[in-house]
Amino acid sequence: MAVYDKDKNFSFGWVLGGTVLMFLFSFLGGLIAGAAGVANLYVILAIVYACFLAAGFVVGWQSEGQTIIEAGLAAILAIVASAAIKGFSLFLVFDPMLFALTVGPPFVLALLGAWIGEKVQGDEIVTKDD
């Protein structure tokens, strides 16, 4: 078996991929919550938070590069994309509490997920040489 050090270069591809993952995880989580009849705002927020944590974990686990930075940028892009699709209503009627609940925790949880994913990945890549 060959052991290689990880390539720590920044990957914009993982930023875009992470954005898509976070957006899709959140969309599917919301779709499932809606189909299940969940109407409680805090339950919906918890589902969105879990989706950002899971997507951040995937980015941290699979990307060799600057995983925490990539996941953070992906979270920002996913939050902006979600707000754009909703017509920026989150920003037009500025409610500081709603803004804090929908922007801060997803960003922080994406970073946490990436950090956990990077720890799971380790510092070396082991491959089988045939």
Side-chain angles (χ1 to χ4, degrees), residues 6 8 14 18 21-22 52-72 110-122:
K6 291 191 316 183
K8 288 291 193 177
W14 272 107
L21 279 175
M22 290 175 194
F52 273 82
L53 180 70
F57 174 80
V58 170
V59 172
W61 179 40
Q62 293 297 314
S63 172
E64 291 182 29
Q66 302 290 329
T67 59
I68 296 172
I69 295 170
E70 293 163 359
L111 293 178
L112 177 64
W115 181 76
I116 294 169
E118 186 159 332
K119 293 300 176 191
V120 168
Q121 182 186 68

Side-chain angles (χ1 to χ4, degrees), residues 1-24:
M1 286 199 227
V3 177
Y4 301 98
D5 288 332
K6 291 191 316 183
D7 180 16
K8 288 291 193 177
N9 292 328
F10 178 81
S11 172
F12 193 70
W14 272 107
V15 172
L16 293 178
T19 301
V20 170
L21 279 175
M22 290 175 194
F23 184 78
L24 286 178

Side-chain angles (χ1 to χ4, degrees), residues 58-94:
V58 170
V59 172
W61 179 40
Q62 293 297 314
S63 172
E64 291 182 29
Q66 302 290 329
T67 59
I68 296 172
I69 295 170
E70 293 163 359
L73 290 173
I76 291 169
L77 290 175
I79 291 166
V80 169
S82 295
I85 289 173
K86 294 175 184 171
F88 288 99
S89 61
L90 175 66
F91 301 109
L92 293 177
V93 181
F94 187 73

